[in-house]
């Protein structure tokens, strides 16, 4: 069948993505060390030819003899040039076919060697070959005209070649077919068979070219001149459908992954169909188009939410309470409410989670309490900061057609939580704004209404989302919240901590936290109880413990600096006497009660954002025209309160034997010290009345009693707010008794243990009851 020549030794050059045929001159770029050594070896040996063999897997870098075909082409190197990057450009000419009988690896030289014999083409019937050669020339010329891959000059040049064998090899080298197909042509030694193979390959390629032309013509017929931009997308659609039939893991792989995600997500059927619709649009779009990017972002956002997935709720109520007690001191009402909610959720499967609002001054632990609740209940925790939010799109999201569109904070929170029943904390809800861009508070109404948040619609994802399984907790410093929004929330007030509570929090939590953050241990640094009490009293003025934590950290840092580079094994104990060294002079001096009773001086009580304060109220009778003067940076409500007290005292003139001439010919001046500090509110009413009556009747007011209560023109004492803070301020100032409205008596039970035995409390409903308690016998002290 073949005309075989003697067996010969060859140096093997393994090539990728190219088949060298006899008679063709090809440039080769050689970069692998093994290939470079093969070139050098072949050029240094006169009796050993170079054999070009194709490797089966073009992507494989390190190869063995199993990775090479057993048929190659002997080559002559015409030119070899080394390039600056260490590679080599080789110009080589194919000589003849070689069938490899034995392939081995020369480990010493680091190259492959082959034993093989030259193979010549076989020609069965000359007349048949001549006829086929004529057909091949005609078909090749026709093929060149139907494709852009070959030039007509090449056809003319190849037609002048007399040898049919050489002609078929040169055509084979120029055909735009796969390496595998070309290797088949190289291994075909039967000339007639080789011609048939070439004709078949050209016919198949021609069919592909005609198919592409049909696609282009079909698309062009469907579109008008104004829709040229659509042309390429339509072409891609048709080509895509053809390619998907041939390659299951090709261009359609990403689309199929998205379809899998849509089918496994816990979505309603109508929503799943909507997403599959979007995926279908993505199929026909160019990956580089702007619209394609919009759809991809949309799908990524939707699939980032774990639809249908829920965290397992903690069923051990004792364990949940233990977690809350461990991480937070006090706050009994809050803990009780959380355990109640947990107990109900274990009994009722479809319970609508309540909306809880923690209201309290900064630093009392509202946010950290939310984290502890999530931990106790077994829910994931997500915090959404609402401070400064002014657009409703921050809640409901943007329409996805807008540039830079994104979902609202609620959907983003669900994406971060990895479940559909997280605890979402809406922090600083009272700090939201409203302007021409929208009202985010109104957008929150649907989110925070348990009756309708199971059908919440975000503008970006455009379908209903069930938020009823999530637990929403909001935080605020004040109740300055729109009424409609406030109505949907259960408000739990977190009042400021007492000095004793701050001390306990410091010993149980803050000191250990500050030591750890500053690289210290309890064996290196400790705080004396007196020092902690002094820090609370003289170095902080707050309802929470943030400032106290900063002071503790400051001392820790200074101790670390003192000990830097020194070997100290003894524990350092911070005492009260050390505070001035580490924290400088005390920053806050709380007012204290006077040492003796005085005329016209009353101890009032006030509420501030950082707790309660003692409020001195002074009054003076001076010659004048019966006018009322008030000073001390007072607000409108407090000014009205003074005028009410003045009118009431004037009505008591006969009862308390106050001469009319005393009132008509003297001015009454009421002053509240610390004039730079604004003051407002009605709760100093009974204090104002007491101060006025004191100067008009020249009676001394007890120095050890403090009071708070709103006053009416009829002498009734009305309830006030901030009772706990005010009574604690009275205790801190050294008062032994305090007067409060009778209507506030019911509020005492919430903090009775904090004040029990520390101060005597009088509950009054009339101003006359106040006067009976506050005055002592004696003359004015000047």
């Amino acid at each position: 069948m073949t005309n075989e020549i003697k067996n010969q030794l060859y140096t093997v050059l393994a090539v990728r993505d190219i088949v060298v045929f006899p008679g063709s001159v090809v440039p080769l770029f050689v970069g692998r060390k093994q290939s470079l050594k093969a070139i050098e070896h072949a050029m240094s040996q006169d009796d050993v030819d170079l054999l070009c063999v194709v490797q089966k897997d073009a992507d494989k870098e390190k190869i063995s003899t199993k990775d090479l075909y057993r048929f190659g082409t002997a080559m002559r190197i015409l030119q070899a040039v080394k390039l600056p990057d260490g590679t080599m450009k080789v110009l080589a000419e194919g000589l003849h076919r070689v069938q490899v009988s034995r392939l081995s690896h020369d480990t010493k030289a680091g190259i492959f060697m082959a034993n093989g014999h030259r193979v010549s083409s076989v020609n069965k019937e000359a007349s048949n070959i001549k006829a086929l050669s004529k057909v091949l020339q005609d078909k090749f010329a026709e093929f060149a005209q139907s494709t852009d891959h070959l030039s007509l000059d090449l056809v003319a040049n190849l037609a002048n070649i007399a040898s049919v064998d050489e002609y078929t090899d040169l055509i084979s080298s120029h055909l735009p077919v796969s390496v595998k197909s070309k290797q088949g042509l190289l291994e075909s030694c039967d000339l007639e068979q080789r011609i048939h193979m070439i004709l078949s390959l050209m016919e198949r390629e021609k069919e592909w070219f005609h198919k592409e032309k049909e696609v282009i013509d079909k698309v062009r017929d469907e579109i008008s001149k104004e829709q040229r931009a659509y042309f390429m997308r339509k072409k891609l659609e048709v080509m895509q459908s053809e390619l998907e039939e041939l390659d299951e893991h090709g261009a359609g792989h990403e689309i199929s992954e998205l379809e899998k995600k849509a089918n496994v997500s816990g979505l309603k059927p109508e929503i799943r169909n909507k997403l599959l619709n979007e995926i279908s649009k993505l199929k026909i779009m160019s990956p580089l188009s702007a619209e394609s990017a919009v759809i991809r972002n949309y799908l990524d956002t939707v699939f980032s939410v774990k639809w249908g997935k829920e965290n397992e709720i903690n069923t051990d109520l004792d364990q949940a309470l233990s977690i809350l007690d461990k991480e937070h001191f006090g706050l009994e009402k809050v803990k009780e409410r959380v355990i109640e909610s947990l107990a109900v959720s274990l009994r009722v499967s479809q319970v609508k989670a309540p909306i809880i609002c923690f209201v309290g001054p900064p630093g009392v632990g509202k946010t950290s309490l939310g984290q502890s609740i999530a931990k106790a209940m077994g829910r994931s925790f997500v915090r959404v900061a609402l401070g400064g939010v002014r657009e409703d799109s921050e809640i409901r999201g943007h329409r996805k057609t807008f540039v830079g569109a994104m979902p609202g904070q609620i959907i983003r929170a669900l994406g971060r939580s990895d479940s559909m029943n997280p605890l979402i904390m809406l922090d600083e809800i009272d700090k939201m704004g409203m302007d021409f861009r929208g009202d985010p508070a109104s957008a929150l109404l649907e989110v925070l209404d348990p009756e309708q948040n199971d059908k919440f619609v975000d503008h970006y994802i455009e379908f209903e989302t069930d938020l009823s399984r999530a637990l929403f907790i909001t935080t605020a410093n004040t109740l300055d919240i729109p009424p409609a929004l406030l109505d949907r929330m259960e408000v739990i007030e977190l009042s400021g901590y007492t000095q004793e509570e701050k001390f306990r929090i410091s010993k149980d939590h803050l000191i250990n936290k500050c030591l750890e953050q500053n690289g210290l241990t309890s064996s290196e640094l400790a705080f004396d109880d007196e020092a902690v009490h002094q820090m609370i009293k003289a170095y902080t003025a707050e309802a929470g413990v943030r400032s106290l934590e900063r002071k503790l950290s400051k001392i820790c840092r200074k101790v670390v600096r003192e000990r830097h580079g020194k070997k100290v094994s003894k524990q350092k104990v911070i005492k009260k006497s050390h505070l001035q060294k580490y924290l400088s002079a005390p920053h806050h001096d709380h007012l204290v009660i006077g040492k003796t009773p005085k005329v016209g001086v009353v101890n009032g009580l006030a509420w501030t954002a950082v707790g309660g304060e003692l409020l001195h109220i002074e009054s003076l009778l001076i010659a004048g025209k019966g006018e009322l003067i008030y000073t001390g940076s007072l607000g409108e409500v407090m000014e009205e309160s003074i005028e009410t007290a003045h009118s009431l005292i004037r009505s008591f003139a006969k009862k308390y034997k106050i001469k009319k001439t005393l009132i008509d010919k003297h001015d009454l001046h009421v002053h509240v010290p610390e004039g730079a500090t604004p003051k407002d509110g009605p709760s100093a009413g009974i204090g104002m009345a007491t101060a006025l009556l004191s100067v008009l009747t020249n009676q001394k007011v007890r120095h050890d009693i403090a009071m708070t209560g709103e006053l009416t023109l009829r002498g009734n004492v009305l309830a006030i707010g901030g009772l706990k803070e005010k009574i604690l301020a009275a205790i801190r100032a050294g008062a032994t008794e305090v007067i409060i409205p009778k209507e506030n008596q019911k509020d005492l039970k919430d903090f009775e243990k904090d004040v029990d035995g520390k101060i005597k409390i009088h509950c009054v409903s009339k101003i006359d009851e106040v006067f009976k308690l506050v005055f002592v016998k004696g003359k004015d002290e000047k």
Side-chain angles (χ1 to χ4, degrees):
M1 294 294 290
T2 60
N3 184 15
E4 299 180 357
I5 313 297
K6 65 177 181 176
N7 211 36
Q8 186 177 341
L9 183 65
Y10 294 93
T11 301
V12 176
L13 174 65
V15 295
R16 297 182 280 192
D17 295 326
I18 185 170
V19 178
V20 179
F21 286 88
S24 61
V25 177
V26 292
L28 300 173
F29 290 91
V30 181
R32 287 187 288 187
K33 288 183 179 180
Q34 191 179 57
S35 301
L36 291 170
K37 288 178 181 179
I39 297 290
E40 292 170 357
H41 186 269
M43 293 175 68
S44 63
Q45 302 291 326
D46 295 334
D47 57 340
V48 180
D49 290 339
L50 184 66
L51 181 64
C52 180
V53 181
V54 181
Q55 70 181 61
K56 297 174 183 177
D57 185 357
D59 296 329
K60 202 167 184 180
E61 191 66 27
K62 292 183 179 181
I63 56 173
S64 63
T65 55
K66 295 179 181 180
D67 298 312
L68 300 175
Y69 285 107
R70 293 299 189 271
F71 224 98
T73 305
M75 296 198 310
R76 178 170 61 243
I77 297 174
L78 303 178
Q79 186 182 16
V81 180
K82 277 198 172 183
L83 300 177
D85 60 355
T87 60
M88 184 180 287
K89 182 179 179 181
V90 177
L91 190 65
E93 179 185 9
L95 299 176
H96 51 261
R97 288 173 170 78
V98 173
Q99 185 170 6
V100 178
S101 56
R102 182 173 177 274
L103 196 61
S104 62
H105 184 226
D106 186 342
T107 55
K108 185 176 180 181
I111 57 174
F112 290 117
M113 300 295 293
N115 291 94
H117 51 264
R118 176 177 175 176
V119 181
S120 300
S121 299
V122 177
N123 183 356
K124 289 183 179 179
E125 298 180 14
S127 57
N128 195 25
I129 293 298
K130 189 175 181 181
L132 284 171
S133 175
K134 179 68 172 124
V135 172
L136 181 60
Q137 286 186 8
D138 295 341
K139 290 291 184 183
F140 185 63
E142 184 183 329
F143 177 74
Q145 289 178 343
S146 66
T147 178
D148 298 331
H149 296 292
L150 301 172
S151 67
L152 296 178
D153 293 339
L154 175 65
V155 178
N157 293 335
L158 293 180
N160 297 325
I161 298 172
S163 168
V164 178
D165 188 10
E166 187 178 351
Y167 181 69
T168 56
D169 283 340
L170 291 174
I171 287 179
S172 298
S173 67
H174 286 93
L175 279 179
V177 295
S178 66
V179 172
K180 189 174 181 181
S181 299
K182 287 190 176 185
Q183 181 67 24
L185 291 173
L186 181 68
E187 294 180 6
S188 177
C189 300
D190 189 323
L191 195 55
E192 183 178 344
Q193 182 185 5
R194 192 188 309 161
I195 293 172
H196 279 295
M197 288 176 66
I198 293 172
L199 290 171
S200 175
L201 287 170
M202 287 194 300
E203 196 63 35
R204 193 175 72 184
E205 289 299 314
K206 239 168 79 174
E207 186 180 339
W208 272 105
F209 298 145
H210 284 311
K211 186 70 177 176
E212 183 180 21
K213 191 173 182 304
E214 286 175 15
V215 170
I216 294 172
D217 291 342
K218 186 191 299 182
V219 174
R220 188 175 287 125
D221 290 342
E222 293 177 3
I223 61 176
S224 62
K225 291 180 181 180
E226 291 80 12
Q227 294 172 314
R228 294 286 183 185
Y230 182 70
F231 166 70
M232 292 304 298
R233 290 198 298 272
K234 194 67 177 177
K235 178 182 175 182
L236 279 171
E237 178 188 359
V238 179
M239 293 301 295
Q240 183 75 29
S241 62
E242 295 288 339
L243 288 171
E244 283 180 358
E245 294 178 5
L246 301 175
D247 185 9
E248 294 181 359
H249 301 286
H253 182 63
E254 184 186 1
I255 301 297
S256 64
E257 287 298 312
L258 291 172
E259 289 174 341
K260 285 179 185 176
K261 287 182 180 179
N263 288 318
V264 300
S265 298
L267 294 166
K268 296 179 181 177
E270 59 269 22
I271 298 173
R272 185 179 294 110
N273 292 337
K274 173 181 171 59
L275 296 178
L276 291 173
N277 243 357
E278 295 292 329
I279 295 171
S280 299
K281 292 178 189 175
L282 195 60
K283 283 183 183 179
I284 63 173
M285 292 181 185
S286 166
L288 301 178
S289 69
E291 193 173 353
S292 170
V294 170
I295 294 178
R296 284 173 193 276
N297 290 338
Y298 172 76
L299 293 172
D300 287 343
T301 300
V302 172
F303 293 138
S304 70
V305 178
K306 299 299 182 286
W307 305 99
K309 180 182 175 182
E310 293 186 2
N311 290 325
E312 187 176 350
I313 301 299
N314 183 14
T315 58
D316 190 339
L317 299 184
D318 293 334
Q319 183 192 26
L321 184 59
S322 174
I323 292 171
L324 292 174
D325 286 337
K326 181 181 177 182
E327 299 188 359
H328 288 272
F329 176 78
L331 305 175
E332 302 303 329
K333 273 190 173 181
V334 180
K335 294 174 183 177
E336 184 182 353
R337 182 66 183 84
V338 171
I339 298 302
E340 287 171 0
S341 296
L342 188 54
V344 171
S345 66
L346 298 177
R347 182 178 285 265
V348 182
S349 58
Q350 295 295 326
V351 64
K352 292 183 181 291
I355 313 300
I356 298 173
C357 179
F358 292 151
V359 178
V364 296
K366 298 185 292 295
T367 304
S368 61
L369 182 59
Q371 293 174 319
S372 298
I373 291 171
K375 186 177 177 181
M377 300 183 79
R379 296 174 183 258
S380 53
F381 176 81
V382 189
R383 176 180 171 270
V384 177
L386 296 179
V389 170
R390 291 180 174 273
E391 300 182 37
D392 59 342
S393 57
E394 284 288 330
I395 307 301
R396 288 185 173 277
H398 309 84
R399 300 289 180 188
K400 70 173 182 284
T401 51
F402 294 167
V403 176
M406 62 174 61
Q409 293 274 22
I410 305 302
I411 295 299
R412 277 183 273 168
L414 287 178
R416 295 197 303 273
S417 70
D418 205 30
S419 71
M420 291 300 290
N421 65 336
L423 188 153
I424 300 177
M425 173 159 277
L426 304 177
D427 220 1
E428 309 290 357
I429 197 170
D430 58 328
K431 305 294 191 303
M432 287 190 302
M434 179 180 66
D435 59 15
F436 64 92
R437 289 170 289 188
D439 179 11
S442 298
L444 272 176
L445 294 177
E446 183 182 3
V447 177
L448 300 182
D449 190 344
E451 297 301 322
Q452 55 180 315
N453 64 4
D454 59 334
K455 295 180 177 62
F456 172 71
V457 178
D458 186 284
H459 290 160
Y460 185 80
I461 64 174
E462 297 177 333
F463 55 77
E464 291 180 353
T465 304
D466 185 3
L467 302 179
S468 63
R469 306 295 292 177
L471 174 62
F472 288 94
I473 293 182
T474 65
T475 71
N477 295 134
T478 66
L479 285 175
D480 186 18
I481 302 170
L485 192 57
L486 189 61
D487 183 59
R488 285 163 169 79
M489 299 186 290
E490 179 182 342
V491 176
I492 297 178
E493 292 192 14
L494 303 181
S495 57
Y497 296 118
T498 65
Q499 285 195 22
E500 188 59 33
E501 285 174 336
K502 289 181 182 179
F503 175 76
R504 289 285 305 278
I505 292 169
S506 300
K507 300 295 282 186
D508 295 345
H509 302 285
L510 297 184
I511 292 176
N512 292 332
K513 180 181 177 183
C514 293
L515 290 175
E516 184 180 347
Q517 288 177 346
N518 291 281
L520 293 169
T521 63
S522 56
S523 61
E524 293 178 285
L525 181 65
F527 289 83
D528 183 70
D529 289 355
E530 279 191 18
V532 177
H533 277 298
Q534 180 65 8
M535 289 172 65
I536 294 168
K537 183 177 179 181
Y539 287 88
T540 62
E542 57 175 346
V545 291
R546 266 201 201 117
S547 181
L548 178 59
E549 184 180 347
R550 284 194 289 268
K551 299 300 179 188
L552 291 167
S553 287
K554 185 176 181 179
I555 293 176
C556 291
R557 290 195 302 271
K558 289 186 179 293
V559 171
V560 170
R561 183 180 176 184
E562 285 177 358
R563 295 195 168 195
H564 181 67
K566 299 177 184 178
K567 291 184 179 179
V568 182
S569 58
K570 187 178 179 182
Q571 183 192 52
K572 184 175 182 65
V573 179
I574 301 297
K575 297 184 178 180
K576 183 177 179 180
S577 57
H578 297 147
L579 294 182
Q580 194 148 349
K581 173 186 173 184
Y582 290 107
L583 300 177
S584 69
H587 307 308
H588 303 282
D589 291 322
H590 294 285
L591 290 176
V592 295
I593 62 171
K595 295 181 180 180
T596 57
K598 295 186 187 314
V599 173
V601 179
V602 176
N603 296 318
L605 294 170
W607 179 91
T608 68
V610 295
E613 279 291 342
L614 192 70
L615 191 72
H616 287 321
I617 302 170
E618 299 177 349
S619 61
L620 195 63
L621 187 67
I622 55 177
K625 299 178 182 179
E627 294 181 356
L628 177 65
I629 305 168
Y630 34 81
T631 56
S633 189
L634 309 179
E636 288 184 8
V637 177
M638 187 169 276
E639 289 176 355
E640 291 175 357
S641 182
I642 295 173
E643 291 172 354
T644 300
H646 183 234
S647 298
L648 179 65
I649 295 304
R650 289 183 65 182
S651 71
F652 284 171
K654 186 177 180 181
K655 181 178 181 180
Y656 289 97
K657 300 177 182 179
I658 303 171
K659 294 180 181 179
K660 187 174 184 298
T661 55
L662 186 66
I663 296 175
D664 293 341
K665 295 182 179 181
H666 291 80
D667 293 340
L668 284 169
H669 187 166
V670 178
H671 176 68
V672 183
E674 296 188 11
T677 306
K679 310 166 192 73
D680 203 4
S683 62
I686 64 174
M688 300 292 183
T690 302
L692 291 173
L693 185 61
S694 173
V695 295
L696 287 171
T697 59
N698 199 28
Q699 296 183 82
K700 293 179 182 178
V701 180
R702 288 174 55 185
H703 67 287
D704 60 346
I705 193 166
M707 62 189 72
T708 180
E710 183 179 351
L711 185 64
T712 71
L713 282 173
R714 301 298 179 190
N716 296 322
V717 181
L718 303 182
I720 45 84
L723 183 66
K724 177 183 177 182
E725 288 82 359
K726 290 177 180 179
I727 293 180
L728 293 175
I731 296 171
R732 185 174 62 238
T736 59
E737 298 180 27
V738 65
I739 299 172
I740 65 170
K742 196 165 188 177
E743 291 181 20
N744 285 111
Q745 189 172 4
K746 62 182 182 300
D747 301 324
L748 289 173
K749 62 180 181 180
D750 294 336
F751 56 93
E752 194 170 359
K753 63 180 180 180
D754 295 320
V755 300
D756 190 28
K758 297 178 183 178
I759 195 168
K760 185 177 181 181
I761 301 174
H762 301 281
C763 299
V764 300
S765 57
K766 292 284 186 178
I767 191 66
D768 292 331
E769 298 174 48
V770 176
F771 295 156
K772 289 177 182 178
L773 294 168
V774 299
F775 292 122
V776 295
K777 294 179 181 180
K779 296 184 178 180
D780 186 10
E781 292 186 5
K782 293 187 181 178

